[in-house]
Amino acid sequence: MRTIVFITPPGVVSAALKQAAEDAFPWTMIEEVAHVDQAIRIFPSTVSLLLVHPDFIADVERCASDLFRYHPMAMTAVLDNELHAERELAIRLVTSTLVRSVFPVQVRHDISLSILGLLLQGIEYFPRALLGAAIEKPAEVLPSVSEPEEVQPVPPHLRVLTKREMQVLEMVQRGLQNKSIANDLNLSGHTVKIHLHNIISKLGARNRTEAAAIYRNVAPGNAVH
C-alpha cells in the first residue's frame, strides 16, 4: 500500500474525488490533514504523494527537512486552484526545487485521476496555463529554470526516479555499498535502503545489480551530479 496525503483546509477536496482516487488506485489510501505539522509523522503505509494547498506552500518549505525525513519517497504537488491567475505564485511554483507538480481538483474526475496516475509514477505535471503565466515575466526573474542541473536531459526509462534516487543509483553502479552512499549523501543507512527498494521497484529490476545495469545502459554520460 501507498499513502497519498492531502495537506489542505477541510472541504477543499471533495469526498467524491478522494473516494474515486481510492477506487481507481486500490493499492493507495488517502489521508487528509489540516496543517503541515500534522503530516510530520509516520503513516500506516509509505507516503508517495504530498498534495498541498497553495496557502500552505510556505509552511511546507519551512518544514521540508522534517517532512522528507519521514517521507523520503514522496513527491510534492500543489493543488491547482486557478494558480495561473496569480502570476507571482506561478513563477514561484515553476522555479521551486521542492514543488514538482500540480494536481488539478476543479476538473472532471477522470482528468484528475489520469494526472494522479502520472504523479504516482513519479512523472511531473504542470498545466500549460501555469507555465504561460510564469514565462510572461522577464527572463531574468527565472534563473533557476536555465540551470544545467534542472534541464539536463534524462532518458524516459529513468524519469520515474526522483533526483535523490538517481544519485543513489549512480553511486550503486559505481560499486559503492550502502554505508558509503549514506556517508556521501549524509543519509541514514535505513533511508538508503528505502531508496534502493523504491529504485528497484520503479525500474522493474530484480536486484541492485540489475538496476545498476539499467542505469549504465541508458543514463546520459553515466553520471549524475
Side-chain angles (χ1 to χ4, degrees):
M1 292 288 291
R2 294 296 177 95
T3 299
I4 301 170
V5 179
F6 285 89
I7 306 176
T8 178
V12 172
V13 181
S14 69
L17 176 57
K18 289 182 284 188
Q19 184 61 56
E22 289 188 329
D23 292 343
F25 308 101
W27 44 271
T28 66
M29 60 185 301
I30 305 295
E31 297 277 356
E32 186 171 6
V33 298
H35 302 285
V36 175
D37 291 346
Q38 295 173 352
I40 304 175
R41 62 183 175 89
I42 296 175
F43 288 88
S45 58
T46 301
V47 175
S48 293
L49 282 176
L50 296 171
L51 300 177
V52 183
H53 189 275
D55 291 348
F56 293 159
I57 294 173
D59 290 337
V60 167
E61 291 175 340
R62 172 179 57 83
C63 300
S65 60
D66 291 328
L67 277 170
F68 294 108
R69 185 169 68 250
Y70 280 89
H71 314 304
M73 295 189 291
M75 173 190 282
T76 302
V78 172
L79 300 180
D80 185 356
N81 187 22
E82 299 297 329
L83 296 173
H84 57 277
E86 303 179 40
R87 183 182 296 174
E88 295 300 328
L89 179 56
I91 293 172
R92 182 177 180 183
L93 293 180
V94 171
T95 61
S96 172
T97 57
L98 176 65
V99 176
R100 293 180 53 200
S101 294
V102 167
F103 178 62
V105 293
Q106 296 183 339
V107 297
R108 297 198 321 265
H109 285 179
D110 59 329
I111 297 175
S112 292
L113 294 176
S114 294
I115 295 170
L116 184 60
L118 295 176
L119 302 187
L120 288 169
Q121 296 179 63
I123 299 173
E124 300 175 7
Y125 169 79
F126 282 93
R128 183 174 182 178
L130 179 63
L131 295 174
I135 63 176
E136 287 178 5
K137 278 290 187 179
E140 59 267 20
V141 303
L142 297 171
S144 62
V145 174
S146 60
E147 291 178 0
E149 184 178 47
E150 299 300 325
V151 300
Q152 187 177 38
V154 177
H157 200 57
L158 296 180
R159 288 177 189 166
V160 295
L161 302 183
T162 66
K163 183 177 177 181
R164 178 64 83 190
E165 289 166 355
M166 286 283 285
Q167 290 175 320
V168 170
L169 182 55
E170 190 272 335
M171 298 176 83
V172 168
Q173 69 90 24
R174 286 195 279 122
L176 298 181
Q177 298 303 308
N178 289 5
K179 185 176 180 180
S180 297
I181 295 172
N183 289 337
D184 287 354
L185 297 180
N186 195 27
L187 301 173
S188 69
H190 177 67
T191 298
V192 171
K193 288 182 180 179
I194 291 175
H195 283 315
L196 280 172
H197 174 79
N198 197 41
I199 290 166
I200 291 169
S201 176
K202 287 182 177 181
L203 295 182
R206 289 174 293 185
N207 50 47
R208 64 189 289 151
T209 301
E210 188 171 303
I214 292 172
Y215 179 91
R216 283 192 294 270
N217 288 336
V218 301
N222 291 337
V224 176
H225 302 288

